Each structure stands twice: as structure tokens, then as C-alpha cells.
Amino acid sequence: MKSAGYSVAVVGATGAVGNEMIATLAARGFPVAELRLLASARSVGKTYEFKGKEYAVAELTEDSFAGVDIALFSAGGSISEVFAPIAAASGAVVIDNTNAFRMEEDVPLVVPEVNPGAIADYKKRGIIANPNCSTIQMVVALKPIYDEVGIRRIVVSTYQAVSGSGKKAIDELEKQVLALFNQESELPVNVYPHQIAFNCLPHIDVFLENGYSKEEMKMVRETKKIFADDGIGVTATAVRVPVFYGHSESVNIETDEKITVDEVRELMARAPGVELVDDLAENRYPLAVEAAGQDATLVGRIREDESIANGINLWVVADNIRKGAALNAVQIAEILIREYL
Ligand code: NAP
Ligand code: 3JN
């Protein structure tokens, strides 16, 4: 650990995830000696406050990474494909929030509560991948059950907030709601193929040849990689819902050995990164509006799946921009500086 602190670059600093990266670095007291905020040429001139000081955004170029120790990327996959290897070659450790490297064998895909040991493999390429937000919150909740009784199959349906599609989608939901309340004849529909206000779209990212969306297949592949278990069956349905922050998930699992609802509750009550919210008498269960702005992954509605011998249902909710992106990345950076840099 460097006592003087680290030079940290945030690539995509002006975006929904980038803004949260800056806030998370500050909130967690990450030892930042130098902060480099990088985005497109469009954002040059914008400034952000970090720990009481103003920082100007610079244009991302090949020369942006000289002297940088840690580069947090969230400017989209095509930017990461080009610039993450450049950052790594100039000596930075890249923590990449995009899909660009997640499934590459020599790039660790890390959720600190689940597979922190995988971080050691960063040395191979100088890149660590952050999983997709929907995968992260699911594996945080399932890890203690996986360790206790094994998991054979996962059936997950997601209810994903618009902030997962970036700032323009947050604006679009707001504008559509206002237009509907003002009884305007035309709705602005630019980000999604359909109206998102008061609607549910079973369509996140592009559709693939097998009929699944890419978001659904990210959950399938990433879960197997994080648990280092190709034998788990995973099937997903990803749905965009008119919520600003907080992804919710209905998660059904079939375990190898029997586990009771009370045992799952006990595991959740002491699982790292999890908060058990499960009190039906008080109408307490995880809610997106309560998860928003929180670090914890909320787990509740724990029930036995009575249709099979070893089945459990859970409702899992987390702030997709925090634990789903920025917080997970900063937690990885914290382990990196504590154990490796
Ligand atoms: P956003 O709000 O639309 O922000 C996009 C960011 O990328 C902005 O800072 C933008 O800069 C920057 N950017 C775009 N084109 C650029 C270029 N040519 N050069 C440099 N910077 C460029 O999107 P977001 O929600 O923050 O998401 C950004 C990316 O993070 C996504 O594409 C995705 O890959 C990843 N992400 C991951 C998760 C996850 O599950 N882990 C969740 C959400 C997002 P300007 O403002 O200058 O255009
Ligand atoms: O839609 C969501 O709720 C999460 C979105 C994630 C996302 C958005 C655009 C591009 C990703 C991602 O993290 O997988 C990507 C991408 O990097 O491919």
C-alpha cells in the first residue's frame, strides 16, 4: 500500500456510473493522491467536486494513463476494448465495468463477497472485470447458499431500473411521465424501442440467435464463471421496468441438498453485503426505492418452492449503479491496494 495514495483515473466520469464512482471513492475514503476524470471531447470543460476540490474533465486519449495506478472504466464496451489495454500497458490496473473482457479466460470477473481470490489473476492482463449489475446482486445473495448446500439450477427474472441504461434513459422516463401527465399527444421515445413509462419491456440489450437477450445470457455465463462452476443451470428473463434506481430480481433455486427457509434466513442475516428484509407481518420485503442509495443487497420473500424437493424462492434488490457497478469496482480497488499494489 502506498502511503502517499494512488493516482486514479475514472473513464466515463460524466456518466451515471462514472458520477457514482467519484462519489463512492470519496464516501469510502479511498486514498486518492491524484484524480483524473476522463470522458469524450464533448465533456471537456465540465467540472466535478471531489473532497471539496474541483476537478476538470479531460478528453480520453492514448496518453491519458501515464502515471495512473488504477483506472476505473465505464464508458461502454467499445471504449474499453481500445483503451483498457492501453491503460494496462502504461502500468495502470484496469477495473472495467463493461462486457468487453468479462468472459476472457485470463481476465478475472470479481464480486468481492464471492470470489475475491480471483483478483490475483489481474497480473495476466492488467485488467479486472466487474460483472453485470444483475449478476452481481444475485451472486451476492446466493453465495452463502451455494457454499452451504450447493446450487444445481437458477431461474431468475429481473425487474431492471432505467438507470441501467445511463443518463439518457433516466431523462427519458422522466420526460415520458411528464408528457403523459400533461396529456401531450406525442411521447419522446428514443432510448428504448417502446414507451417505458407505465410499461414493462422484456428486452434488455440486443436479442441473440437463441432468442435470449444479451443481458440474459450475460447473467447465465457470468454466474458460472464467478462460481467457477459450469455445471450450474442458469436461465434468465430480463425485464426493464419504469423504476429510476434499483434492480429487483425473483430468484428461484434448486439446491443439491435440502435447506429450510429458516436456514436460508440465518445465512442471509450474516452474509457479507446482504441485508435480510423479510417480515411479512410488517409488510417488510426488499423494495427498489429503499435499496436506492444503499450499499447492501436486500433479500427477502424467502419461501420454499413447494413444486420440487429442494427449491427456494427469493426476492433480491440492490442499487444497480452502486453495488451493481461503482461500489463493486471500488471494493475491488480496495482489495487491490490492500493486498497487491
Ligand atoms: P452514460 O450515463 O450514458 O455515460 C456514458 C459515459 O461514457 C459518459 O461519461 C460518456 O462521456 C462516456 N463516453 C461515451 N463515449 C465516449 C468516448 N468516445 N470517449 C470517452 N468517453 C466516452 O452510461 P452509464 O450508465 O454511466 O454506463 C456506461 C457504461 O458502463 C455502459 O456502457 C456499460 O458498459 C457500463 N455499465 C455497467 C454496468 C454494470 O452492470 N456493471 C451498469 C451500467 C453501465 P460524455 O459525457 O463525454 O459523452
Ligand atoms: O441495463 C442494465 O440495467 C445494465 C446495463 C449494463 C450495460 C449497458 C450497456 C452496455 C452493459 C453491461 O454492463 O453489460 C453494457 C456492456 O458493457 O455491454
Side-chain angles (χ1 to χ4, degrees), residues 76-78 80 96-100 102 130-134 160-166 192 204-205 214-215 218 222 240 247 320 324:
S78 55
S80 290
D96 183 39
N97 261 275
T98 80
N99 188 48
R102 287 179 191 147
N130 211 54
N132 180 270
C133 41
S134 299
Q160 296 183 218
V162 296
S163 51
S165 312
Y192 303 114
I204 300 186
D205 209 330
K214 195 168 171 189
E215 182 82 353
K218 284 173 188 172
E222 292 174 17
R240 185 75 63 198
H247 285 3
N320 51 302

Short mmCIF file of all heavy atoms in Angstrom, two decimals, residues 76-78 80 96-100 102 130-134 160-166 192 204-205 214-215 218 222 240 247 320 324, ligand 2:
data_model
loop_
_atom_site.label_atom_id
_atom_site.label_comp_id
_atom_site.label_asym_id
_atom_site.label_seq_id
_atom_site.Cartn_x
_atom_site.Cartn_y
_atom_site.Cartn_z
N GLY A 76 -18.53 2.32 -21.81
CA GLY A 76 -19.03 1.42 -22.85
C GLY A 76 -17.96 0.45 -23.34
O GLY A 76 -16.75 0.71 -23.22
N GLY A 77 -18.42 -0.67 -23.89
CA GLY A 77 -17.52 -1.76 -24.27
C GLY A 77 -16.53 -1.37 -25.36
O GLY A 77 -15.35 -1.77 -25.30
N SER A 78 -16.96 -0.58 -26.34
CA SER A 78 -16.04 -0.29 -27.46
C SER A 78 -14.90 0.61 -26.98
O SER A 78 -13.76 0.48 -27.47
CB SER A 78 -16.80 0.33 -28.63
OG SER A 78 -17.48 1.47 -28.18
N SER A 80 -13.70 0.53 -23.87
CA SER A 80 -12.82 -0.34 -23.07
C SER A 80 -11.95 -1.21 -23.97
O SER A 80 -10.77 -1.42 -23.68
CB SER A 80 -13.67 -1.24 -22.15
OG SER A 80 -14.24 -0.46 -21.14
N ASP A 96 -12.73 -2.80 -15.10
CA ASP A 96 -13.61 -2.48 -16.24
C ASP A 96 -15.05 -2.88 -15.96
O ASP A 96 -15.33 -4.03 -15.65
CB ASP A 96 -13.11 -3.21 -17.49
CG ASP A 96 -13.94 -2.83 -18.70
OD1 ASP A 96 -14.31 -1.65 -18.80
OD2 ASP A 96 -14.23 -3.72 -19.51
N ASN A 97 -15.95 -1.90 -16.11
CA ASN A 97 -17.37 -2.14 -15.83
C ASN A 97 -18.15 -2.64 -17.04
O ASN A 97 -19.36 -2.78 -16.95
CB ASN A 97 -18.01 -0.83 -15.37
CG ASN A 97 -18.11 -0.79 -13.87
OD1 ASN A 97 -19.05 -1.30 -13.31
ND2 ASN A 97 -17.11 -0.22 -13.23
N THR A 98 -17.50 -2.83 -18.15
CA THR A 98 -18.24 -3.20 -19.36
C THR A 98 -18.15 -4.70 -19.62
O THR A 98 -17.41 -5.43 -18.95
CB THR A 98 -17.69 -2.46 -20.61
OG1 THR A 98 -16.51 -3.13 -21.06
CG2 THR A 98 -17.36 -1.01 -20.29
N ASN A 99 -18.88 -5.10 -20.64
CA ASN A 99 -18.92 -6.51 -21.02
C ASN A 99 -17.66 -6.93 -21.81
O ASN A 99 -17.48 -8.12 -22.09
CB ASN A 99 -20.16 -6.71 -21.90
CG ASN A 99 -20.44 -8.16 -22.21
OD1 ASN A 99 -20.44 -8.99 -21.32
ND2 ASN A 99 -20.65 -8.46 -23.48
N ALA A 100 -16.79 -5.97 -22.14
CA ALA A 100 -15.72 -6.23 -23.12
C ALA A 100 -14.82 -7.41 -22.77
O ALA A 100 -14.44 -8.18 -23.65
CB ALA A 100 -14.87 -4.96 -23.28
N ARG A 102 -15.26 -9.54 -19.80
CA ARG A 102 -15.77 -10.38 -18.70
C ARG A 102 -15.56 -11.87 -18.91
O ARG A 102 -15.28 -12.59 -17.95
CB ARG A 102 -17.27 -10.12 -18.49
CG ARG A 102 -17.57 -8.80 -17.84
CD ARG A 102 -19.06 -8.60 -17.67
NE ARG A 102 -19.34 -7.23 -17.29
CZ ARG A 102 -20.44 -6.57 -17.64
NH1 ARG A 102 -21.38 -7.16 -18.36
NH2 ARG A 102 -20.61 -5.33 -17.25
N ASN A 130 -15.64 -6.16 -13.90
CA ASN A 130 -16.77 -6.05 -12.98
C ASN A 130 -17.94 -6.72 -13.70
O ASN A 130 -18.21 -6.40 -14.85
CB ASN A 130 -17.07 -4.55 -12.83
CG ASN A 130 -17.61 -4.15 -11.50
OD1 ASN A 130 -17.00 -4.45 -10.49
ND2 ASN A 130 -18.73 -3.48 -11.51
N PRO A 131 -18.66 -7.60 -13.03
CA PRO A 131 -19.78 -8.26 -13.72
C PRO A 131 -20.93 -7.29 -14.02
O PRO A 131 -20.94 -6.16 -13.56
CB PRO A 131 -20.24 -9.33 -12.73
CG PRO A 131 -19.11 -9.48 -11.77
CD PRO A 131 -18.43 -8.15 -11.70
N ASN A 132 -21.89 -7.77 -14.76
CA ASN A 132 -23.13 -7.04 -14.99
C ASN A 132 -23.87 -6.85 -13.66
O ASN A 132 -23.83 -7.73 -12.79
CB ASN A 132 -23.98 -7.86 -15.98
CG ASN A 132 -25.29 -7.19 -16.28
OD1 ASN A 132 -26.29 -7.42 -15.61
ND2 ASN A 132 -25.29 -6.37 -17.30
N CYS A 133 -24.55 -5.73 -13.55
CA CYS A 133 -25.24 -5.41 -12.28
C CYS A 133 -26.22 -6.50 -11.84
O CYS A 133 -26.30 -6.83 -10.65
CB CYS A 133 -25.98 -4.08 -12.41
SG CYS A 133 -26.82 -3.88 -13.99
N SER A 134 -26.96 -7.07 -12.78
CA SER A 134 -27.96 -8.08 -12.40
C SER A 134 -27.30 -9.35 -11.88
O SER A 134 -27.84 -10.03 -11.00
CB SER A 134 -28.84 -8.42 -13.60
OG SER A 134 -29.51 -7.26 -14.02
N GLN A 160 -35.57 -4.44 -14.04
CA GLN A 160 -34.40 -3.56 -14.02
C GLN A 160 -34.75 -2.08 -14.23
O GLN A 160 -35.50 -1.72 -15.13
CB GLN A 160 -33.40 -4.02 -15.09
CG GLN A 160 -32.86 -5.41 -14.80
CD GLN A 160 -31.81 -5.92 -15.76
OE1 GLN A 160 -31.80 -7.10 -16.08
NE2 GLN A 160 -30.89 -5.08 -16.21
N ALA A 161 -34.13 -1.26 -13.39
CA ALA A 161 -34.36 0.19 -13.41
C ALA A 161 -33.76 0.81 -14.67
O ALA A 161 -32.77 0.31 -15.22
CB ALA A 161 -33.73 0.81 -12.17
N VAL A 162 -34.31 1.96 -15.08
CA VAL A 162 -33.83 2.62 -16.29
C VAL A 162 -32.42 3.18 -16.14
O VAL A 162 -31.71 3.34 -17.14
CB VAL A 162 -34.79 3.75 -16.74
CG1 VAL A 162 -36.15 3.21 -17.14
CG2 VAL A 162 -34.93 4.82 -15.67
N SER A 163 -31.97 3.45 -14.91
CA SER A 163 -30.62 3.98 -14.74
C SER A 163 -29.57 3.01 -15.27
O SER A 163 -28.45 3.43 -15.59
CB SER A 163 -30.34 4.31 -13.27
OG SER A 163 -30.66 3.20 -12.46
N GLY A 164 -29.93 1.72 -15.42
CA GLY A 164 -29.01 0.76 -16.03
C GLY A 164 -28.69 1.09 -17.47
O GLY A 164 -27.71 0.61 -18.03
N SER A 165 -29.52 1.93 -18.09
CA SER A 165 -29.25 2.34 -19.49
C SER A 165 -28.62 3.73 -19.56
O SER A 165 -28.56 4.32 -20.64
CB SER A 165 -30.54 2.37 -20.30
OG SER A 165 -31.28 1.21 -20.12
N GLY A 166 -28.18 4.27 -18.43
CA GLY A 166 -27.45 5.53 -18.45
C GLY A 166 -28.33 6.75 -18.28
O GLY A 166 -29.54 6.66 -18.13
N TYR A 192 -35.46 3.40 -25.71
CA TYR A 192 -35.97 2.03 -25.86
C TYR A 192 -36.87 1.96 -27.09
O TYR A 192 -37.38 2.99 -27.55
CB TYR A 192 -36.76 1.64 -24.60
CG TYR A 192 -35.95 1.75 -23.32
CD1 TYR A 192 -36.28 2.68 -22.34
CD2 TYR A 192 -34.84 0.93 -23.12
CE1 TYR A 192 -35.54 2.78 -21.17
CE2 TYR A 192 -34.09 1.03 -21.96
CZ TYR A 192 -34.43 1.96 -20.99
OH TYR A 192 -33.68 2.07 -19.85
N ILE A 204 -33.66 -6.33 -22.87
CA ILE A 204 -32.52 -5.54 -22.38
C ILE A 204 -31.29 -5.95 -23.17
O ILE A 204 -30.95 -7.13 -23.23
CB ILE A 204 -32.32 -5.74 -20.86
CG1 ILE A 204 -33.59 -5.29 -20.12
CG2 ILE A 204 -31.09 -4.97 -20.38
CD1 ILE A 204 -33.51 -5.28 -18.61
N ASP A 205 -30.66 -4.96 -23.79
CA ASP A 205 -29.56 -5.19 -24.72
C ASP A 205 -30.14 -5.90 -25.96
O ASP A 205 -31.35 -6.03 -26.10
CB ASP A 205 -28.41 -6.00 -24.06
CG ASP A 205 -27.05 -5.68 -24.65
OD1 ASP A 205 -27.00 -5.35 -25.85
OD2 ASP A 205 -26.03 -5.75 -23.94
N LYS A 214 -29.08 -10.36 -24.84
CA LYS A 214 -27.67 -10.44 -24.42
C LYS A 214 -27.57 -10.28 -22.90
O LYS A 214 -26.75 -10.93 -22.25
CB LYS A 214 -26.88 -9.35 -25.15
CG LYS A 214 -25.38 -9.54 -25.09
CD LYS A 214 -24.69 -8.61 -26.06
CE LYS A 214 -23.21 -8.63 -25.87
NZ LYS A 214 -22.55 -7.57 -26.66
N GLU A 215 -28.42 -9.42 -22.32
CA GLU A 215 -28.41 -9.23 -20.86
C GLU A 215 -28.69 -10.57 -20.17
O GLU A 215 -28.06 -10.92 -19.17
CB GLU A 215 -29.48 -8.20 -20.48
CG GLU A 215 -29.54 -7.87 -18.99
CD GLU A 215 -28.50 -6.85 -18.56
OE1 GLU A 215 -27.64 -6.47 -19.37
OE2 GLU A 215 -28.55 -6.43 -17.38
N LYS A 218 -25.69 -12.74 -20.43
CA LYS A 218 -24.61 -12.27 -19.54
C LYS A 218 -24.80 -12.90 -18.16
O LYS A 218 -23.85 -13.38 -17.54
CB LYS A 218 -24.64 -10.74 -19.40
CG LYS A 218 -24.12 -9.96 -20.60
CD LYS A 218 -24.38 -8.46 -20.41
CE LYS A 218 -24.04 -7.67 -21.66
NZ LYS A 218 -24.46 -6.26 -21.58
N GLU A 222 -21.87 -15.26 -16.78
CA GLU A 222 -21.09 -14.65 -15.70
C GLU A 222 -21.27 -15.42 -14.39
O GLU A 222 -20.31 -15.58 -13.62
CB GLU A 222 -21.52 -13.19 -15.50
CG GLU A 222 -21.15 -12.29 -16.68
CD GLU A 222 -21.70 -10.87 -16.54
OE1 GLU A 222 -22.09 -10.48 -15.44
OE2 GLU A 222 -21.73 -10.17 -17.57
N ARG A 240 -37.09 -4.62 -18.38
CA ARG A 240 -36.91 -3.21 -17.98
C ARG A 240 -38.24 -2.68 -17.44
O ARG A 240 -39.28 -2.88 -18.07
CB ARG A 240 -36.50 -2.38 -19.19
CG ARG A 240 -36.17 -0.93 -18.86
CD ARG A 240 -34.85 -0.75 -18.20
NE ARG A 240 -33.77 -1.17 -19.08
CZ ARG A 240 -32.53 -1.45 -18.65
NH1 ARG A 240 -32.22 -1.35 -17.37
NH2 ARG A 240 -31.60 -1.83 -19.50
N HIS A 247 -32.44 -2.46 -9.10
CA HIS A 247 -32.89 -3.65 -9.84
C HIS A 247 -33.48 -4.65 -8.83
O HIS A 247 -32.90 -4.91 -7.77
CB HIS A 247 -31.72 -4.35 -10.54
CG HIS A 247 -31.20 -3.64 -11.76
ND1 HIS A 247 -31.68 -2.43 -12.22
CD2 HIS A 247 -30.22 -4.01 -12.64
CE1 HIS A 247 -31.01 -2.08 -13.32
NE2 HIS A 247 -30.13 -3.02 -13.60
N ASN A 320 -28.48 -0.68 -8.55
CA ASN A 320 -27.72 -1.17 -9.71
C ASN A 320 -26.52 -0.31 -10.04
O ASN A 320 -25.54 -0.80 -10.62
CB ASN A 320 -28.65 -1.24 -10.93
CG ASN A 320 -29.41 0.05 -11.18
OD1 ASN A 320 -30.15 0.51 -10.30
ND2 ASN A 320 -29.24 0.62 -12.34
N GLY A 324 -24.21 -2.62 -8.10
CA GLY A 324 -24.18 -3.18 -9.46
C GLY A 324 -23.04 -2.66 -10.31
O GLY A 324 -22.76 -3.22 -11.38
O1 3JN B 2 -29.30 -2.48 -18.49
C1 3JN B 2 -28.87 -2.56 -17.34
O2 3JN B 2 -29.62 -2.50 -16.35
C2 3JN B 2 -27.43 -2.77 -17.11
C3 3JN B 2 -26.65 -2.37 -18.31
C4 3JN B 2 -25.43 -2.69 -18.49
C5 3JN B 2 -24.77 -2.35 -19.73
C6 3JN B 2 -25.26 -1.32 -20.53
C7 3JN B 2 -24.65 -1.04 -21.74
C8 3JN B 2 -23.57 -1.76 -22.16
C9 3JN B 2 -23.64 -3.07 -20.13
C10 3JN B 2 -23.07 -4.10 -19.23
O3 3JN B 2 -22.59 -3.74 -18.17
O4 3JN B 2 -23.10 -5.28 -19.56
C11 3JN B 2 -23.06 -2.77 -21.37
C12 3JN B 2 -21.88 -3.52 -21.86
O5 3JN B 2 -20.80 -3.27 -21.34
O6 3JN B 2 -22.02 -4.32 -22.77
#
